[in-house]
Amino acid sequence: MKDLRDGNRPSAGASLAGDKPSERASEAATDGLKQGNGKSVAPGSSSDETPQVRASASDSTREKGSSEPIGRRRRRRRKSARKAAAKGVSDMSANVPSQPATAAPVPGQKKGRRRRRKSGREIQGRPLTPQKAPGQAQPKLHPASSGPGQPSTHAAHAAGASGPVARRHADDLYAALDLGTNNCRLLIAQPTRPGQFRVVDAFSRIVRLGEGLDATGELSADAMDRAVEALKVCAGKLKNRPVRRHRLIATEACRSARNGEAFLARVREETGLELEIVSRETEARLAVAGCSSLVGRETDGLVLFDIGGGSSEIAMIDLTENRSNRLANHIKAWTSLPVGVVTLSERHGGCLVTPAVFEAMVAEVDVMLADFVPPVLPAFSGLGEPRVHLLGTSGTVTTLAGLHLDLPRYDRRKVDGLWLSNEDVDLMLDRLLSWDFEARAANPCIGADRADLVLAGCAILQSIRKRWPSPRMRVADRGLREGLLNEMMASDGAWRRSGRNYRSRHQRSAQGEKT
C-alpha cells in the first residue's frame, strides 16, 4: 500500500494504520514542543494539551510543508502572540475581567499591516473642516465703523472664554460701491489667489440718476429718491458684514449736476454712506484696473472703453515695454466723452430708433472722438493685427454678447471674457435695428428697463470701432467696482498676506487695542 504520509499534504503528526510517524511529523511535533513554553505533551492526548502548543505545532507544520504565503504565516503568528499576551495579562489580574481576543496590542509590539485613516482627513488626504465641540459657543465679531477707504478693526472673542480666538475670514472683506448715471452697484468680496477675489455679496439696481440731467443741469427729485432707496439697501448690506475696507464713489451724474453735492449730503444724512465724486481720469483708470485679468500675454496693445450712462471713458494701453501685472500702469493715452447711453438716447429718442436716427447718433460721437489726438504708440503701429484688439466693459457689449449666444436668460459666466469678431458685432447691430421697442423689451438679455438705451450704446460702440478698427473685441462683464476692489486689495497687501498667520496676528492686535 502506498504511504500517504510523505505526499504533498502531510498529516499533523498522527500515524496511519498503526505505522510509525514519519520523519516530517516527528519534526513538526519537536517544533511544537520547542514552542510550547517547555511543556511536554504526550502523543495522542488531548485533555492536557494547551492551545498554545497546538497552534504552534500546526503553524510549524504548515511552514515546513505548505505553500501558504509567508506574509500570511507571519500575520497568523503575530495574532497568536497577541492572544497569548492578552491571556497572560488576564491571568495576572484577578479583579479585572479577561480581555477579548481583539484587545489592543501591548506597547512595544508591531502594528498590523492594516492602517486606519487619520482623524480629520479625507480619503484623498485633504484637511476636513474642523468640527465644533458640542455645547461650544461660536465667537462673535464686533466690527468698528470706518471712513471711506480706511481699514476697520474687528475683535473676535467668546464671552468669558480665555482660550485662543477662533479664526474667521471676516477681516478680509472689501466693499466697492459705484453710483453711476444709470445704475447703483455694490460688490463685497474676499481676496483669494493673487489678482483674484471671491464675491461674497452683490447688489445692482437701475436708478437712472441722470434722468433729465442733460436738459436741466440738475438731478430730478424722482431720480434722487430712487437712488436713495437703492443706497439704503447697500447700507444695510454693509452693516450686516464686517468689512475691513471700503470705497464708495459717484461718477458723471453727481460730477456734472449743480445739485450733486447737496444730493450727497442727503445721502450721508439718510443712509450714513459717505460717497466721493471721482474725476474722469480716475474713472478711466478704475475701468482699466477692473479688466486686468482679461488681457493675455499674447496682447501687445488694446483700446479699452467703458460706455456709461452719462460719459464714456476710453484708454489706449501699450504693453510692449516693461510689462507688469498692473494694467493701469500701461495707460498711454485716455479720453472721456461727455456722452453716455442716457444722455444720447434723450437727445435722439431711444424708443423709436430708425437707421437714420442711429447714423445721426454715430455722427455726433464721431465729432467728439475727432478732438482726441493720442501720441504715436509702438503697439498701435500695426492696428488691425491680432495682437491689438478692443476690450469693452459696459452693458452695451454684454447685451451684444448675450444676443450672440442666444441666451434664454443672461448668464455672466458665459458672457464675461467672450470674444466677438467684427462679423458677429455687425450681425447683432443689424438685428437690434430691425427690432421695435417691444421686441427689444421682450428679449431677456435687454429687458424693459434698458430697451430704450441699448441702441444709443451701440451707436457709441460703432463710432469707437470706426476710429480703432480691430478684427475682434473681447467682452468684460466688470468695471469700476472690480477696479476699486483690485486697487484696495493690492495697496493693502491682501494677496501677500499668509491667510492663517495674518488673521491670527490681526486678531491679537485687535484684542490688544480693545483692552
Side-chain angles (χ1 to χ4, degrees):
M1 182 177 65
K2 184 178 180 181
D3 192 357
L4 298 178
R5 292 172 296 181
D6 296 331
N8 293 331
R9 299 180 59 85
S11 63
S15 60
L16 296 177
D19 293 339
K20 294 196 304 180
S22 63
E23 295 180 0
R24 190 171 300 173
S26 300
E27 291 177 0
T30 304
D31 293 341
L33 289 175
K34 292 180 180 179
Q35 297 180 8
N37 296 329
K39 297 181 180 179
S40 176
V41 182
S45 63
S46 60
S47 59
D48 297 331
E49 190 176 21
T50 62
Q52 291 86 351
V53 175
R54 288 198 301 270
S56 302
S58 177
D59 291 344
S60 301
T61 304
R62 280 191 292 268
E63 182 179 2
K64 294 293 183 179
S66 175
S67 61
E68 187 179 10
I70 298 177
R72 188 177 301 174
R73 292 199 298 269
R74 291 177 178 174
R75 289 194 295 272
R76 185 178 289 107
R77 290 173 183 173
R78 286 195 294 267
K79 184 176 180 181
S80 301
R82 285 196 296 268
K83 289 182 178 180
K87 182 175 179 59
V89 172
S90 61
D91 293 338
M92 294 175 61
S93 304
N95 298 329
V96 180
S98 61
Q99 298 291 334
T102 59
V106 298
Q109 288 185 343
K110 296 181 179 180
K111 295 182 180 180
R113 296 177 64 87
R114 183 176 298 176
R115 299 177 181 177
R116 295 183 179 180
R117 294 199 311 262
K118 295 182 180 181
S119 60
R121 289 186 177 272
E122 295 177 343
I123 298 177
Q124 293 85 357
R126 299 175 181 174
L128 294 172
T129 304
Q131 300 294 329
K132 184 175 68 174
Q136 181 180 358
Q138 183 72 17
K140 297 182 180 180
L141 289 175
H142 302 279
S145 60
S146 61
Q150 298 297 326
S152 58
T153 57
H154 310 280
H157 61 88
S162 59
V165 181
R167 280 198 300 116
R168 293 292 298 271
H169 299 277
D171 58 347
D172 284 345
L173 294 183
Y174 293 79
L177 186 145
D178 170 27
L179 179 60
T181 306
N182 191 48
N183 288 276
C184 176
R185 298 185 179 99
L186 171 70
L187 205 60
I188 302 176
Q190 180 185 32
T192 55
R193 293 180 294 178
Q196 300 183 16
F197 52 80
R198 180 179 65 89
V199 176
V200 176
D201 201 355
F203 173 79
S204 179
R205 179 182 294 180
I206 296 178
V207 296
R208 294 212 178 186
L209 181 60
E211 185 179 33
L213 177 62
D214 187 60
T216 63
E218 293 184 350
L219 303 175
S220 65
D222 293 339
M224 289 189 291
D225 292 340
R226 291 192 299 265
V228 169
E229 291 301 321
L231 290 172
K232 288 180 180 179
V233 178
C234 297
K237 290 180 175 293
L238 291 174
K239 291 178 181 179
N240 292 334
R241 296 187 181 275
V243 177
R244 169 181 172 83
R245 189 175 177 184
H246 64 262
R247 191 176 179 187
L248 320 175
I249 65 171
T251 56
E252 181 64 24
C254 296
R255 188 167 54 221
S256 59
R258 290 192 297 265
N259 58 345
E261 293 291 345
F263 168 68
L264 294 185
R266 175 188 171 185
V267 170
R268 188 185 313 111
E269 180 181 354
E270 296 187 18
T271 67
L273 299 179
E274 187 81 23
L275 274 68
E276 58 171 319
I277 299 178
V278 297
S279 63
R280 291 178 177 176
E281 181 181 2
T282 301
E283 189 173 353
R285 179 176 53 81
L286 291 174
V288 173
C291 302
S292 58
S293 61
L294 292 181
V295 179
R297 302 294 299 180
E298 70 282 357
T299 301
D300 288 340
L302 68 148
V303 178
L304 189 145
F305 58 91
D306 180 12
I307 303 174
S311 64
S312 298
E313 282 67 40
I314 304 172
M316 299 181 66
I317 301 171
D318 190 342
L319 299 171
T320 55
E321 297 179 358
N322 300 325
R323 183 166 186 154
S324 65
N325 293 329
R326 302 195 68 175
L327 191 63
N329 294 339
H330 298 278
I331 299 177
K332 304 302 181 182
W334 69 275
T335 185
S336 179
L337 306 180
V339 63
V341 295
V342 176
T343 55
L344 194 61
S345 63
E346 289 180 352
R347 294 175 191 173
H348 298 269
C351 296
L352 181 60
V353 180
T354 62
V357 174
F358 183 79
E359 290 299 330
M361 288 191 289
V362 174
E364 181 179 344
V365 182
D366 289 342
V367 174
M368 298 180 184
L369 276 179
D371 297 334
F372 175 57
V373 182
V376 178
L377 301 176
F380 293 89
S381 59
L383 190 63
E385 296 181 358
R387 298 187 68 86
V388 180
H389 64 84
L390 299 178
L391 177 58
T393 164
S394 63
T396 300
V397 293
T398 56
T399 299
L400 293 178
L403 293 176
H404 171 71
L405 297 175
D406 198 16
L407 297 177
R409 182 180 179 184
Y410 183 80
D411 189 350
R412 181 188 183 276
R413 296 171 297 179
K414 297 181 179 180
V415 169
D416 188 43
L418 181 69
W419 288 97
L420 294 177
S421 65
N422 269 334
E423 293 76 13
D424 296 333
V425 178
D426 291 336
L427 182 62
M428 293 303 105
L429 290 179
D430 295 339
R431 184 178 178 185
L432 282 174
L433 283 173
S434 65
W435 289 352
D436 57 5
F437 177 82
E438 288 75 15
R440 296 194 299 269
N443 188 275
C445 294
I446 301 175
D449 293 335
R450 300 180 61 251
D452 59 333
L453 305 177
V454 61
L455 284 175
C458 291
I460 300 175
L461 171 63
Q462 186 69 3
S463 179
I464 295 174
R465 294 175 64 212
K466 289 170 58 179
R467 177 66 184 272
W468 292 281
S470 176
R472 57 178 184 163
M473 176 182 70
R474 196 166 196 185
V475 179
D477 189 355
R478 56 188 71 192
L480 302 185
R481 296 176 301 170
E482 288 79 5
L484 289 169
L485 291 174
N486 283 334
E487 289 203 343
M488 284 189 293
M489 293 177 185
S491 63
D492 204 26
W495 291 306
R496 296 194 302 268
R497 296 194 296 260
S498 175
R500 179 179 302 179
N501 296 332
Y502 167 76
R503 278 187 288 270
S504 61
R505 290 196 305 269
H506 178 68
Q507 290 169 352
R508 285 197 299 268
S509 62
Q511 281 186 336
E513 293 175 0
K514 186 174 181 180
T515 56

